[in-house]
């Protein structure tokens, strides 16, 4: 078999596009294969893209990429059944940099990213799923797609969560209901001026709101609202195991979330124009499989490279950074003419030296900590009921904040339990 390409990249999400673009820019002939009708056709993200990694690849990408808004307001909101308490960080006064979050819509963003690969000389084929790996003895030697065998000395698997290629390569991917979340999302259309007025935004500024508590009926997960130019992205992300154990359906949670008085007010007058659902890895460091085999590297969600700490969900930047690192390793392998896992493991070293593995290590206890049910039930309820009492003036003698706080803690849990949970949080997140 003669190799027509120096590398094949499977999946034109952010991991695959970043890998293919880096390879093409370095003069390698690269084939990017995407099963969707076009890149981003079915891809789902909340989505806030943190841009530092992408900025290395495409400097000042936001000037040409179809980003929606730059996030200048980050809000964390605790929900009870009827009330809400928020921590609101407004950074309009700060100089905004590439590491500010940008809201994106994947159908536009991925298409742009795949277009950059073509501009750089890469070949992008869409509408064809890769069905299998091509083997040359024990070594991976290309892919099988649309009934054709396409040989290449190295394959970059960027085929997302539940990666067929990583499984077929035997890299030890362990996807289970406990280490994967299900996200459901709506895009709600609304006039641009209304969004800016309602979310207190200047032109091009954006808001990211993360919700905890009643949005998931107190089970492991959270909700989000992100502002785009003239739409709002709204959704819930819930651990699959929590859905199964509690016999909940994420679509019902989404409907309930939209009905919460504080949320209803934010989306009033909007029209749902899109609905989507997708899985996202949440197992952290221990869920990361082996990252290479002879002739194959695995990147992004396919390698479970996602950081979920409860305060944010970062997968896009991890995907871009891992795609770029995979491309570096392929370049080295090509120079040496050696595509064994020994040489390709330069990828693992590059990731170990980057924020990707360092963050997953720093927050390695986060997945276990986030199993604590009280984070989603007791504490949001506690914050809301304390705020309700603080802001209720009913003509009776008032109590101090400390007294009210202690009473609410005792009513909802115990002071000792609270201390233990705070200590666990200190170590994990
Ligand atoms: P994907 O984006 O899944 O891309 C994989 C690509 O491979 C797809 O285009 C797919 O069609 C293609 N493919 C799959 N199989 C094949 C095949 N056999 N042949 C050919 N092509 C194939 N991350 C953030 O950073 N910020 C957020 O706000 C955020 N919010 C999220 C909200 C939700 C509801 C969900 C589900 C995820 C969220 N994430 C967020 C995570 C983020 O979306 C992912 O981590 C990121 O998309 C991973 O990129 P990827 O390129 O590895 O995989």
């Amino acid at each position: 078999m003669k190799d027509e390409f120096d590398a094949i990249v499977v999946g034109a999400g952010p991991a695959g596009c970043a890998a293919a673009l880096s390879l093409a820019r370095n003069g390698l002939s690269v084939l990017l294969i995407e099963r969707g009708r076009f890149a981003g056709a079915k891809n789902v993200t909340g989505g806030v893209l943190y841009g530092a990694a992408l900025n290395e690849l495409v400097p000042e990408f936001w000037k040409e990429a179809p980003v929606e808004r730059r996030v200048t307001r980050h809000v964390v909101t605790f929900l009870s059944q009827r009330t809400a308490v928020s921590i609101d960080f407004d950074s309009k006064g700060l100089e905004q940099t590439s590491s500010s979050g940008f809201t994106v819509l994947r159908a536009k963003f991925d298409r742009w990213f795949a277009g950059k690969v073509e501009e750089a000389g890469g070949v992008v084929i869409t509408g064809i799923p890769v069905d299998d790996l091509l083997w040359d003895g024990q070594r991976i030697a290309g892919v099988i797609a649309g009934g054709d065998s396409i040989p290449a000395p190295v394959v970059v698997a960027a085929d997302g969560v539940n990666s067929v290629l990583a499984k077929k390569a035997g890299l030890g991917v362990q996807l289970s209901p406990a280490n994967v979340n299900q996200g459901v999302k709506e895009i709600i259309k609304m006039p641009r001026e209304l969004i800016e007025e309602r979310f207190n935004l200047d032109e091009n500024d954006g808001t990211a709101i993360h919700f905890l508590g009643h949005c998931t009926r107190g089970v492991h997960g959270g909700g989000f609202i992100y502002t785009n130019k003239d739409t709002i992205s709204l959704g819930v992300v819930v651990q699959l195991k929590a859905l199964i154990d509690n016999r909940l359906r994420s679509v019902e949670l989404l409907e309930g979330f939209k009905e919460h008085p504080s949320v209803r007010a934010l989306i009033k007058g909007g029209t749902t124009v899109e609905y989507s659902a997708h899985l996202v890895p949440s197992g952290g460091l221990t869920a990361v499989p082996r990252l290479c085999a002879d002739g194959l590297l695995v990147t992004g969600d396919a390698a479970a490279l996602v950081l979920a700490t409860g305060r944010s969900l970062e997968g896009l930047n991890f995907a871009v950074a891992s795609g770029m690192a995979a491309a570096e390793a392929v370049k080295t392998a090509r120079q040496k003419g050696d595509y064994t896992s020994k040489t390709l493991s330069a990828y693992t070293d590059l990731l170990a030296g980057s924020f990707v593995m360092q963050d997953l290590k720093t927050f390695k206890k986060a997945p276990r900590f986030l199993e604590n049910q009280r984070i989603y039930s007791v504490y949001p309820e506690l914050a809301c009921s304390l705020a309700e009492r603080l802001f209720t003036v009913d003509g009776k003698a008032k109590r101090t904040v400390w007294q009210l706080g202690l009473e609410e803690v005792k009513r909802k849990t115990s002071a000792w339990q609270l201390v233990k949970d705070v200590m666990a949080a200190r170590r994990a997140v």
Side-chain angles (χ1 to χ4, degrees):
M1 285 187 294
K2 187 177 168 312
D3 295 333
E4 271 185 49
F5 295 96
D6 293 322
I8 294 174
V9 180
V10 181
C17 288
L21 179 55
S22 309
L23 290 167
R25 284 225 187 116
N26 279 283
L28 276 76
S29 63
V30 57
L31 172 65
L32 174 61
I33 308 178
E34 165 58 45
R35 70 177 170 191
R37 214 163 27 89
F38 56 89
K42 288 189 187 162
N43 292 347
V44 184
T45 283
V48 178
L49 163 74
Y50 290 95
L54 182 56
N55 196 44
E56 276 180 40
L57 193 58
V58 185
E60 302 198 324
F61 66 89
W62 59 91
K63 292 188 175 161
E64 58 166 298
V67 297
E68 294 291 311
R69 289 174 182 270
R70 197 193 287 263
V71 181
T72 54
R73 242 187 102 204
H74 288 270
V75 185
V76 178
T77 297
F78 302 99
L79 294 179
S80 72
Q81 194 174 353
R82 302 207 48 78
T83 61
V85 174
S86 296
I87 300 166
D88 190 333
F89 172 63
D90 195 332
S91 63
K92 275 196 210 84
L94 297 181
E95 194 193 333
Q96 301 297 320
T97 66
S98 67
S99 28
S100 314
F102 293 87
T103 53
V104 293
L105 294 168
R106 294 289 299 275
K108 293 184 199 169
F109 181 79
D110 291 12
R111 217 171 184 172
W112 164 81
F113 211 169
K116 296 293 291 178
V117 176
E118 283 182 316
E119 253 175 48
V123 177
V124 181
I125 297 181
T126 57
I128 296 178
V130 167
D131 303 312
D132 212 337
L133 292 166
L134 188 63
W135 294 85
D136 179 4
Q138 295 296 304
R139 186 189 166 288
I140 292 155
V143 298
I144 299 173
D148 291 327
S149 296
I150 313 173
V154 64
V155 174
V156 178
D159 50 340
V161 62
N162 215 0
S163 163
V164 171
L165 299 192
K167 271 189 218 139
K168 290 200 181 238
L171 292 179
V173 184
Q174 304 283 344
L175 208 62
S176 77
N179 67 18
V180 71
N181 289 344
Q182 187 181 59
V184 286
K185 172 184 168 183
E186 282 187 11
I187 296 181
I188 299 171
K189 191 148 183 64
M190 220 183 255
R192 190 177 180 139
E193 307 72 47
L194 184 59
I195 292 177
E196 285 163 10
E197 197 183 300
R198 196 168 279 176
F199 290 85
N200 186 23
L201 300 170
D202 289 339
E203 205 190 5
N204 300 326
D205 286 349
T207 296
I209 314 180
H210 292 129
F211 296 86
L212 263 189
H214 195 71
C215 50
T216 58
R217 300 212 196 129
V219 307
H220 189 159
F224 63 84
I225 287 185
Y226 303 136
T227 56
N228 305 313
K229 281 191 177 116
D230 58 1
T231 56
I232 282 177
S233 297
L234 172 149
V236 291
V237 178
V238 188
Q239 188 199 44
L240 205 54
K241 181 174 180 301
L243 287 173
I244 297 166
D245 290 351
N246 294 283
R247 294 169 183 269
L248 289 167
R249 290 175 58 223
S250 41
V251 60
E252 288 163 5
L253 296 180
L254 186 76
E255 285 310 317
F257 179 43
K258 285 167 64 187
E259 285 305 316
H260 190 282
S262 305
V263 174
R264 200 168 52 217
L266 292 175
I267 57 173
K268 194 171 158 209
T271 312
T272 300
V273 290
E274 211 178 295
Y275 173 86
S276 53
H278 208 276
L279 296 177
V280 56
S282 62
L285 187 66
T286 53
V288 177
R290 275 189 298 122
L291 294 169
C292 45
D294 291 345
L296 181 111
L297 294 163
V298 58
T299 58
D301 277 14
L305 298 172
V306 175
L307 183 71
T309 59
R311 66 176 186 222
S312 66
L313 177 61
E314 293 178 43
L316 296 170
N317 49 343
F318 280 57
V320 171
S322 62
M324 289 164 66
E328 276 303 309
V330 169
K331 261 169 35 192
T332 310
R334 185 163 175 261
Q335 278 157 9
K336 291 187 176 172
D338 173 10
Y339 296 92
T340 58
S341 62
K342 188 162 173 270
T343 303
L344 290 176
S345 68
Y347 170 53
T348 314
D349 299 338
L350 284 166
L351 285 185
S354 81
F355 72 89
V356 173
M357 279 310 187
Q358 285 168 9
D359 285 356
L360 287 172
K361 272 192 188 140
T362 302
F363 296 101
K364 65 174 183 288
K365 291 187 175 153
R368 179 103 190 268
F369 170 70
L370 294 173
E371 288 289 335
N372 182 348
Q373 196 73 14
R374 288 181 292 281
I375 297 169
Y376 317 98
S377 53
V378 171
Y379 296 121
E381 288 284 342
L382 201 158
C384 289
S385 56
L386 177 59
E388 193 178 334
R389 292 183 72 187
L390 278 174
F391 297 112
T392 301
V393 180
D394 57 4
K396 293 184 189 147
K398 293 180 184 57
R399 325 228 336 118
T400 63
V401 177
W402 180 251
Q403 285 169 330
L404 288 176
L406 272 184
E407 275 177 26
E408 285 304 318
V409 168
K410 279 186 195 155
R411 260 187 349 136
K412 299 271 184 318
T413 174
S414 70
W416 177 231
Q417 188 60 66
L418 176 66
V419 170
K420 282 204 293 188
D421 287 342
V422 170
M423 293 305 286
R426 189 178 68 86
R427 286 188 292 267
V429 293

